[in-house]
Amino acid sequence: NTIEFAGGLHATIVKQVQLRNRSSNTLAYNAIVVGRDADDFSLPKGNTVTIPPTREGFINVEFTIRFLHPAEAVLILIANKVNGVNGATLTFSLKSEVKNIEPLGTVKCRSPCYEL
């Protein structure tokens, strides 16, 4: 699965990953972000999520678009054993795209075009 972070340059985008537990046991996951641009992604509400039986859990991923080139990383959710039950490891591809560029400000100056 791919999670896309699209927006304007310098925009901060938060995506929420929904995890469903369809089993009758509690599942727990530790999340890490790895890859070329992993430092640009963060997990603002922490890197752990516990999902009760037959319920849903969420993990937030935050990204600030700092460069024009697309950023890429991988979100890995590693299952922890809870009551002897171990869930599957989950991976998500994280990609960014700059949709527009708004100037942060303008500077006016006067200067001669040519000087001997």
Side-chain angles (χ1 to χ4, degrees):
N1 293 338
T2 299
I3 301 169
E4 293 190 17
F5 295 82
L9 188 62
H10 303 295
T12 299
I13 301 162
V14 178
K15 294 285 184 158
Q16 193 173 60
V17 180
Q18 178 183 18
L19 305 167
R20 287 192 181 124
N21 181 0
R22 297 183 183 185
S23 73
S24 58
N25 299 305
T26 299
L27 294 177
Y29 288 96
N30 281 337
I32 58 170
V33 179
V34 298
R36 180 185 75 194
D37 300 307
D39 292 340
D40 294 330
F41 293 88
S42 65
L43 304 165
K45 292 192 175 182
N47 67 337
T48 60
V49 61
T50 302
I51 310 167
T54 66
R55 297 282 178 121
E56 298 174 345
F58 299 93
I59 191 153
N60 291 341
V61 181
E62 184 177 278
F63 176 71
T64 300
I65 301 175
R66 300 185 309 136
F67 302 107
L68 292 176
H69 70 80
E72 295 180 0
V74 176
L75 172 66
I76 302 174
L77 296 165
I78 302 167
N80 291 331
K81 282 191 176 184
V82 177
N83 298 328
V85 177
N86 202 1
T89 298
L90 306 172
T91 60
F92 298 90
S93 176
L94 307 175
K95 295 187 179 190
S96 74
E97 181 183 0
V98 176
K99 290 288 189 180
N100 63 332
I101 301 171
E102 295 291 328
L104 292 177
T106 57
V107 176
K108 291 183 179 182
C109 63
R110 289 182 171 213
S111 176
C113 291
Y114 175 75
E115 198 173 304
L116 289 174

